[in-house]
Amino acid sequence: DGGITQSPKYLFRKEGQNVTLSCEQNLNHDAMYWYRQDPGQGLRLIYYSQIVNDFQKGDIAEGYSVSREKKESFPLTVTSAQKNPTAFYLCASKIPGSTRGYTFGSGTRLTVV
Amino acid sequence: AQKITQTQPGMFVQEKEAVTLDCTYDTSDPSYGLFWYKQPSSGEMIFLIYQGSYDQQNATEGRYSLNFQKARKSANLVISASQLGDSAMYFCAMKTYNTDKLIFGTGTRLQVFP
């Protein structure tokens, strides 16, 4: 079955360490997105990519980096520059220009201690 | 600026009753789409219903309907015949056609009791 895989489900890191969250899709979607979710704040867009080797900053890109070397993969690195990295991270994908069809992964809960 | 507002942090409804979750939006773009997603405690976002700004009819998907009032910029979700499994967070979201970004509200936690 097609879908988005985010791994791991739970991730723990020490403060000051970079950490990379995985997002893989087999839907053949060109566009991919990373969102951050904090309690009471809904989802906020971190980065998005509409095509391989291209990506744009979202509303809260500071302290994060991404790459898009393959259509299927859009990993997110939470760097030590991110002041408050503990959050729930969701990856999504869709067909560009489609008015519907956003598909979400099941998320990664990152805890920095 | 584009914005989605959900003013109900939490709602309670009895099983088999209908419930309305409120959503207002703000955009200057005449072409946009409105979405509702359900997020159970497991975390995944489940698409429920979509309404385009030029759609003449209110969207319906099974027990879900969207009460779209364009002049008031509201897109309320109506769940009929609530079930215990409907207990979850519900998010309203918007995408304008000149961007490729989905903007979310802060969500409403719905609890269905027997």
Side-chain angles (χ1 to χ4, degrees):
Chain A
D1 286 340
I4 296 181
T5 301
Q6 289 188 245
S7 60
K9 181 75 173 175
Y10 299 95
L11 193 54
F12 294 87
R13 279 295 183 269
K14 291 185 177 179
E15 194 171 345
Q17 290 182 334
N18 291 356
V19 59
T20 297
L21 281 59
S22 169
C23 177
E24 303 280 331
Q25 54 103 353
N26 60 4
L27 299 164
N28 202 32
H29 287 174
D30 287 305
M32 297 186 73
Y33 308 80
W34 273 106
Y35 286 90
R36 169 180 172 140
Q37 185 177 16
D38 296 282
Q41 294 196 43
L43 278 70
R44 293 181 290 167
L45 183 64
I46 305 172
Y47 267 98
Y48 63 106
S49 167
Q50 294 179 294
I51 198 168
V52 173
N53 292 324
D54 186 49
F55 47 83
Q56 288 79 40
K57 293 182 179 180
D59 300 318
I60 56 165
E62 186 177 348
Y64 299 97
S65 66
V66 293
S67 63
R68 188 82 188 279
E69 297 176 1
K70 299 186 301 181
K71 189 175 186 177
E72 302 79 17
S73 179
F74 191 39
L76 173 74
T77 297
V78 184
T79 74
S80 56
Q82 168 50 234
K83 291 182 171 50
N84 190 14
T86 294
F88 187 57
Y89 292 87
L90 280 158
C91 180
S93 72
K94 82 168 185 73
I95 300 169
S98 168
T99 57
R100 306 178 65 163
Y102 287 85
T103 302
F104 282 83
S106 55
T108 292
R109 188 167 299 279
L110 173 65
T111 302
V112 175
V113 296
Chain B
Q2 296 156 13
K3 189 177 180 181
I4 292 283
T5 302
Q6 295 180 254
T7 57
Q8 306 157 314
M11 290 284 286
F12 288 88
V13 65
Q14 190 166 30
E15 201 176 6
K16 301 180 185 176
E17 297 294 312
V19 63
T20 298
L21 306 184
D22 294 341
C23 173
T24 58
Y25 60 92
D26 189 22
T27 180
S28 56
D29 193 321
S31 299
Y32 52 89
L34 296 157
F35 301 74
W36 276 94
Y37 284 87
K38 172 184 178 180
Q39 186 181 44
S41 57
S42 53
E44 75 270 28
M45 298 288 281
I46 301 168
F47 168 77
L48 295 178
I49 197 166
Y50 167 83
Q51 179 86 42
S53 58
Y54 293 119
D55 292 344
Q56 296 297 313
Q57 307 270 356
N58 283 350
T60 61
E61 295 275 357
R63 295 187 298 112
Y64 304 107
S65 60
L66 199 152
N67 184 0
F68 182 46
Q69 298 189 38
K70 196 169 182 177
R72 297 180 60 187
K73 293 189 173 181
S74 75
N76 298 340
L77 176 71
V78 180
I79 305 175
S80 63
S82 297
Q83 301 171 357
L84 295 177
D86 293 335
S87 295
M89 283 291 290
Y90 288 81
F91 289 95
C92 181
M94 175 176 67
K95 177 195 172 305
T96 59
Y97 291 166
N98 64 355
T99 73
D100 206 29
K101 299 189 290 185
L102 198 58
I103 300 166
F104 286 83
T106 53
T108 297
R109 180 171 298 281
L110 176 66
Q111 295 189 57
V112 182
F113 60 94

